[in-house]
Amino acid sequence: MVTGPGRRGLIGRVAEVLALLASPGVFYVVLRLRGMAPVDLPDPSMHTTYIIDPRDIFTRYAAVFAQTARLREAARVGFLVPGRTAYLLFGAVGGFFTLRYVLALIAVVPLYVLLKRLYGRWAGFAAVAVVMSSPVFVTAWGTDYPDSAAISYLTGALCALAMPATSRRRPYWLLLAGSLLTLAVWSHVAAVPLGAAMVVAYAAVRLLRSRDHLLRDAAVLAGSAVAVTGLLSLFSWLLIGQANFVTPTWQAVRYLDTPVQERLWHSANWHWVLYDPWLLVPPAALAAFVVVFARRSKGIGTPQLVVGLASLLAFGVAATLQFAGHVQMLEMAYFSSMLWSFVAVLVALTLAELAAPFVTWVGAPRRHRGGGRSRLSWKKAPATLRHALPLVLLVAVALAYEADPHVPAMRLDGWGAVVAAIVVAAALVWRLGPGFSARGGHQRRSGTLRAGAGLLVFVVFVGASLVATVAPEAPHRPLPNVAVEPDSSPAWAKALGGSDTELVDAYQVTSELPGFVGHAAYPGEQLLTWWPHAETGELMGPIGMFHSGYDAVSVVSYPILLPGARAKIEYRRPAQILLMSTTGDGFSTALGQLRRAHAHFDPDVVRRGVLSDGTFDLHVWLIDLDKYFHRVSR
C-alpha cells in the first residue's frame, strides 16, 4: 500500500494525466470553440464520402475517375482509415467529434511533454493552450479535409523529434515521430516536404552535437514508416476497399504536375500574396524565436535547435514550392494550415522564455535557456498562481478577442506587416529590456520592473500573433492569372467563440445522402447530380459527396437542360440523376426537361424525400434514366 509522499506523488501524476486528457474538452467549453468549420469548397466532402460509404464510390466511378486521377482522395488513408473507424463506431457526427478529440490529443500530448521537460508542468499546460486557442488548428480540425489530421500528426512528430531523451529512451520517441510522419504523408502529399524538413533538421543537429547511434535512429524512423504503411494498407483494404494507395498517390502527383493542371490550380500572378496577411505569421514566429533563443551555437538547447532549424527549412521549402515551383503550398489555406504545426511549437517555446521574468518554471533547470538564474520579485504570491499565470493570460487574450472578434481587413504590405513586426518587436524588447542583459546573457535582478515588463511583453506577443492570424484580406478587384479554386479567405476569424449548430446540422444531412441514394447495383452505375446554381454555397457539402462539378449535369442551367448538359448526359451515360435543393423548387421542371430531351432518356423518379436535421433541409429526388440503367436484381 502506497502511503505518505509516495501516495501524494501518485495522486498528483494521475491528476496530471487526467487533466491533460481532458484539456481539449475543457478548452472547447471555456473558449467556446467552433467544433465544425464552414465548408467553403467541395473538397472536404469528397473525403467524407469515403468515410461514409467508400466502396460504393469505387463501384460507381472507379473506371471514369481513373482517367483523371480523381480517386486521389481515396488514397489519403492516414486520415480516412481513422475517420472510417470513428464513423463505424460512433456514427457520422459522433465519429467526427471523437476523431477530432483524438487528433487534438495527438498534437497536445507530445507538446505538453516537451515543454514540461524543458520548463515544467505549467509550461506544458500553457503550450496546450497555444494549440487549443489557435484559429488555424480549430478550423483545420473542423472539416473532413485531410489537413485536419496532418496538422496534428506533424505537430506531434516535431515534438517527438525534439524531445530531450537518453540514448536508451530515444528510440521510442523516434518510433512515435516516424509513425506520425508516415500518417501525415499518407494523409496529404503536401506533408512530404514538411516532414522531410523535420528529418533533415534532426539529422543535422545530431551530426553536429551527438552522433551516437545515428544509424540506429535512421533504422527506427525507416522501420516505423514501413510498418505503418503496411498497417494502413491492411486497414485500407478492410475499411475502404483498396489496399494499394501508393500507386494512386503517385499517379495523382504526376497528373497534377501537368501544365494544364498547373494553370488551373496554381496562380501565375503572385500579387495574391499581398491580400493574405496571415502568411506573415510563420516567419514572424520564427524571427521572434530566433531573437529569444539566439546564442552562441553551444548555448542553444538541442530541442530548441531542432525546432528552429526544422521550421526554417519547412517555411523555406513551402515558399520555394509556391513561388519557384508550381505547388499551391501557400495560396491554398488547406495546404498552408500545415505550417502551423511548426508555428505552434515555436510559439510555445518562445512564450515559455518570455514568461521567465515573472514565473519560476517548476521542474525546469535552474539555469534557463536564456542564460542566468530565474529570480522573482513577487515571491509572496502563491506558487500555483505564478506558475499558472501564462496559461491564464493565454486564455484571457483569447476571451478578450471573443468579446469583439472584429479585426479590420489588412494587406500584407500594410497593417499586416506592422502587426507581424509587433510580434518580433515584443521578443526584441524582452531580449534587450530589463529582464535580460546582452553582456554574457545574464538576467538582471530588476524586481517588479522586470516582472511587469515581462508580463506586458507576453500579452503583446500573444495578442499580436492572434490578430495577425485572423486578419481578413483587404477588399480588392479580381486579379489576373490567379487560380479561381483556392480559397484566400480561410474561416479563422470565428473559430474562437463561433457557433457550429447549423454546420453540424448540415453535416448530419450530408452524411445521410449515400443512404438515400443506395448502393450501385453493378460496376459503372454512374450517378450525376443537378442543383440550382444560386444554392451552390449552401449545398457545398452535399454536392461534394458526388465529386461536385465533375459529376454535375450542369452548374448553371438548372432546371433547364441546355444542349451542353444534354451532351454531357449522353457522353457519361449515367444510370441515375440526383436532384438536390433546399426548397425542391424546379424539380418537376427538371424532370420534364429530361422527358422531352431528344435523346429519350426515359427518366423515372424512384425516390423522393426531404433530409432534415435542425435548421438544414435538403430536398432530394432520385431519378433512374431507363435508357442507361441496367435492370438487374438489387
Side-chain angles (χ1 to χ4, degrees):
M1 181 177 179
V2 181
T3 59
R7 183 183 181 189
R8 288 195 296 271
L10 177 61
I11 293 175
R13 287 193 293 272
V14 171
E16 177 185 3
V17 170
L18 292 178
L20 181 58
L21 295 179
S23 61
V26 172
F27 280 106
Y28 179 84
V29 174
V30 172
L31 297 181
R32 299 184 297 121
L33 301 180
R34 185 188 57 199
M36 280 191 182
V39 181
D40 48 18
L41 291 175
D43 299 56
S45 295
M46 292 178 187
H47 298 84
T48 305
T49 193
Y50 290 107
I51 292 174
I52 304 298
D53 195 1
R55 297 177 189 274
D56 194 61
I57 298 298
F58 287 119
T59 302
R60 291 182 184 276
Y61 302 114
V64 67
F65 279 8
Q67 303 170 16
T68 53
R70 293 183 184 273
L71 288 173
R72 56 184 176 269
E73 287 87 5
R76 292 165 178 169
V77 294
F79 166 68
L80 293 180
V81 166
R84 175 76 173 152
T85 301
Y87 167 76
L88 293 174
L89 292 174
F90 304 105
V93 173
F96 182 97
F97 284 109
T98 299
L99 178 59
R100 270 59 192 180
Y101 202 100
V102 173
L103 291 175
L105 290 176
I106 288 173
V108 303
V109 170
L111 183 59
Y112 172 86
V113 176
L114 176 63
L115 268 292
K116 178 186 176 182
R117 291 192 174 188
L118 294 176
Y119 298 97
R121 179 182 299 118
W122 282 103
F125 282 118
V128 173
V130 169
V131 171
M132 295 305 303
S133 64
S134 168
V136 181
F137 272 85
V138 174
T139 301
W141 290 330
T143 75
D144 275 339
Y145 197 79
D147 70 324
S148 59
I151 194 173
S152 290
Y153 296 150
L154 290 172
T155 304
L158 179 58
C159 294
L161 285 174
M163 195 71 64
T166 63
S167 178
R168 182 173 61 86
R169 292 179 179 268
R170 186 178 297 125
Y172 299 107
W173 287 109
L174 290 175
L175 180 63
L176 176 62
S179 300
L180 291 177
L181 285 175
T182 306
L183 287 169
V185 166
W186 294 127
S187 293
H188 201 290
V189 72
V192 172
L194 305 183
M198 293 185 191
V199 175
V200 170
Y202 175 80
V205 173
R206 287 294 310 281
L207 285 170
L208 178 66
R209 294 198 166 179
S210 174
R211 302 183 183 184
D212 296 342
H213 307 295
L214 194 54
L215 291 179
R216 180 199 66 182
D217 293 355
V220 171
L221 287 172
S224 62
V226 172
V228 171
T229 300
L231 288 174
L232 285 175
S233 180
L234 173 62
F235 285 106
S236 177
W237 174 63
L238 293 173
L239 297 174
I240 298 174
Q242 73 169 4
N244 179 13
F245 48 82
V246 178
T247 301
T249 299
W250 176 242
Q251 291 172 342
V253 170
R254 294 183 59 188
Y255 176 76
L256 293 173
D257 196 39
T258 58
V260 173
Q261 292 297 308
E262 178 186 345
R263 287 192 297 270
L264 185 61
W265 307 116
H266 184 265
S267 296
N269 182 353
W270 65 268
H271 287 86
W272 57 267
V273 76
L274 298 177
Y275 302 96
D276 291 355
W278 57 86
L279 291 178
L280 287 172
V281 174
L286 179 59
F289 177 88
V290 171
V291 168
V292 169
F293 286 98
R295 308 282 188 276
R296 294 178 180 178
S297 61
K298 293 184 179 180
I300 304 174
T302 296
Q304 290 90 337
L305 188 58
V306 171
V307 171
L309 182 56
S311 301
L312 176 63
L313 294 175
F315 299 162
V317 74
T320 301
L321 289 171
Q322 176 67 59
F323 297 112
H326 40 81
V327 180
Q328 52 188 155
M329 283 295 293
L330 299 180
E331 62 183 310
M332 169 64 86
Y334 289 122
F335 288 24
S336 61
S337 63
M338 287 181 266
L339 294 177
W340 262 256
S341 298
F342 300 86
V343 171
V345 185
L346 287 171
V347 170
L349 288 170
T350 302
L351 289 179
E353 286 290 322
L354 294 180
F358 56 93
V359 171
T360 298
W361 292 119
V362 176
R366 292 188 67 187
R367 184 169 291 274
H368 279 277
R369 302 299 175 266
R373 299 180 181 182
S374 175
R375 303 283 183 178
L376 277 174
S377 61
W378 50 314
K379 294 180 179 179
K380 295 183 180 180
T384 301
L385 173 62
R386 298 198 306 267
H387 305 153
L389 187 56
L391 171 62
V392 173
L393 291 176
L394 280 164
V395 173
V397 170
L399 292 177
Y401 166 75
E402 290 181 20
D404 186 24
H406 296 94
V407 173
M410 301 179 186
R411 279 175 57 113
L412 180 141
D413 58 346
W415 280 106
V418 172
V419 176
I422 291 174
V423 173
V424 182
L428 192 61
V429 168
W430 177 90
R431 181 68 182 266
L432 302 177
F436 192 93
S437 172
R439 185 173 60 184
H442 294 291
Q443 295 178 350
R444 299 172 181 169
R445 305 180 186 182
S446 51
T448 302
L449 177 62
R450 174 171 164 262
L455 189 150
L456 179 61
V457 166
F458 187 95
V459 172
V460 169
F461 182 91
V462 173
S465 300
L466 179 58
V467 169
T469 301
V470 302
E473 64 177 21
H476 60 89
R477 287 179 288 184
L479 300 172
N481 301 317
V482 171
V484 176
E485 188 77 12
D487 171 44
S488 58
S489 301
W492 294 339
K494 293 186 178 180
L496 307 180
S499 173
D500 59 9
T501 301
E502 295 182 359
L503 301 172
V504 172
D505 294 340
Y507 186 87
Q508 177 61 49
V509 169
T510 299
S511 71
E512 295 172 5
L513 264 180
F516 174 83
V517 170
H519 293 142
Y522 54 88
E525 184 192 296
Q526 294 184 57
L527 177 143
L528 298 186
T529 56
W530 205 7
W531 68 89
H533 178 66
E535 296 183 9
T536 297
E538 296 174 84
L539 300 179
M540 196 65 74
I543 66 178
M545 294 292 284
F546 297 100
H547 222 85
S548 188
Y550 184 79
D551 285 332
V553 171
S554 171
V555 295
V556 295
S557 68
Y558 172 93
I560 306 302
L561 192 66
L562 296 179
R566 184 166 58 248
K568 183 171 185 177
I569 294 176
E570 293 173 351
Y571 173 73
R572 290 286 299 272
R573 303 174 67 84
Q576 297 176 312
I577 290 179
L578 179 66
L579 302 180
M580 296 186 292
S581 168
T582 59
T583 63
D585 295 342
F587 281 10
S588 297
T589 302
L591 179 63
Q593 291 279 302
L594 292 170
R595 285 175 175 166
R596 288 192 294 272
H598 297 297
H600 303 293
F601 296 130
D602 298 326
D604 179 27
V605 180
V606 294
R607 198 167 300 137
R608 309 167 192 248
V610 179
L611 305 180
S612 180
D613 190 81
T615 60
F616 191 79
D617 297 326
L618 181 65
H619 295 252
V620 281
W621 280 13
L622 183 63
I623 300 173
D624 283 354
L625 300 186
D626 288 346
K627 180 176 182 178
Y628 303 126
F629 192 90
H630 300 169
R631 290 296 173 185
V632 296
S633 59
R634 287 182 176 268

